Amino acid sequence: MPDLDPQSIASYWDAEAETFDDEADHGLRDLRVHAAWAGRLRSWMPGPPTDVLDLGCGTGSLTLLLAEQGHRPVGVDLSPRMAETARDKLAAAGFTAPVLTGDASDPPAAAGTSFDVVLARHLLWTLPAPERALRTWMSLLRPHGRLILIEGNWQASGDGPPYVPGAGCLPWLGGVSAEPLVEVLRPYAANVRVEPLTDPVLWGKPIHDERYAVIAHR
């Protein structure tokens, strides 16, 4: 298992926080991109209100969408600056959803231990033990709850030096294809489906790699 220093990882994402929302699919500042993600999220979620754990929430763009749609999100991110940005974003929109600083692969107990939905977007590639994290996340779901994973296989992101020392050994650095991810989830899920995310509006540009959502029902 890779020997990663959590502080190094947090510091990396702290440094990214200021410009993170400049990416169209991160900040959702473009109205068309915002509407596209709002629509997809609504189609994956149960009817509101539900309790949602948003893991690796970053600057809180999806956390805010969840709150806007009437859900009760709790955000978790390892980066204090990301978490602070998410809290500010929610407060500016009139929401008080909690956002905690902590390890998304093993969420802090203060976040809660039982949810209708666990959500993670582009998080698995950063984890030293993604399969263990997936088991943990499924265990946090209530009966008939669902795990929603927005993922992809970029590969190119695995080229060159690791983003933090030790990260070059990460199992899914560069992303993971849908098929192996689904195989990991099958023993823990009653039903798993994959939805391709090829619409360029979602990303603010055309894409040429694999992007998808996995919805796994407990």
Side-chain angles (χ1 to χ4, degrees):
M1 184 180 297
D3 183 16
L4 292 178
D5 174 21
Q7 185 55 52
S8 295
I9 299 170
S11 295
Y12 173 88
W13 292 110
D14 278 349
E16 293 287 306
E18 185 174 352
T19 59
F20 190 77
D21 279 355
D22 292 347
E23 291 288 332
D25 60 306
H26 292 171
L28 308 186
R29 292 165 174 163
D30 183 292
L31 293 180
R32 293 179 67 233
V33 178
H34 183 281
W37 279 106
R40 293 299 178 111
L41 200 58
R42 190 176 291 110
S43 73
W44 300 326
M45 292 288 297
T50 62
D51 295 315
V52 188
L53 182 60
D54 184 7
L55 294 171
C57 66
T59 59
S61 293
L62 293 188
T63 321
L64 177 56
L65 280 183
L66 290 165
E68 289 174 339
Q69 293 180 7
H71 298 287
R72 297 183 292 262
V74 177
V76 174
D77 202 276
L78 188 64
S79 160
R81 288 192 65 189
M82 288 283 193
E84 180 183 9
T85 302
R87 285 191 289 268
D88 290 345
K89 185 180 292 186
L90 286 155
F95 296 100
T96 57
V99 179
L100 308 179
T101 301
D103 183 356
S105 66
D106 186 17
T113 58
S114 178
F115 297 90
D116 300 301
V117 176
V118 174
L119 169 71
R121 178 170 68 163
H122 297 168
L123 175 61
L124 289 171
W125 72 271
T126 70
L127 302 182
E131 295 188 19
R132 184 173 66 191
L134 289 166
R135 292 194 297 271
T136 297
W137 299 347
M138 289 297 294
S139 74
L140 295 172
L141 291 172
R142 294 168 182 157
H144 310 297
R146 63 190 73 178
L147 174 65
I148 301 173
L149 302 171
I150 301 162
E151 278 300 333
N153 189 5
W154 312 282
Q155 290 302 323
S157 64
D159 297 339
Y163 80 100
V164 295
C169 297
L170 290 172
W172 287 344
L173 185 67
V176 58
S177 289
E179 184 175 350
L181 177 53
V182 168
E183 287 307 307
V184 171
L185 288 169
R186 285 198 191 281
Y188 312 104
N191 177 269
V192 184
R193 69 180 179 89
V194 177
E195 181 178 320
L197 300 177
T198 56
D199 184 353
V201 176
L202 290 166
W203 313 106
K205 60 185 178 183
I207 55 153
H208 306 286
D209 47 35
E210 183 183 4
R211 314 250 181 136
Y212 60 89
V214 167
I215 299 90
H217 293 255
R218 187 171 178 187

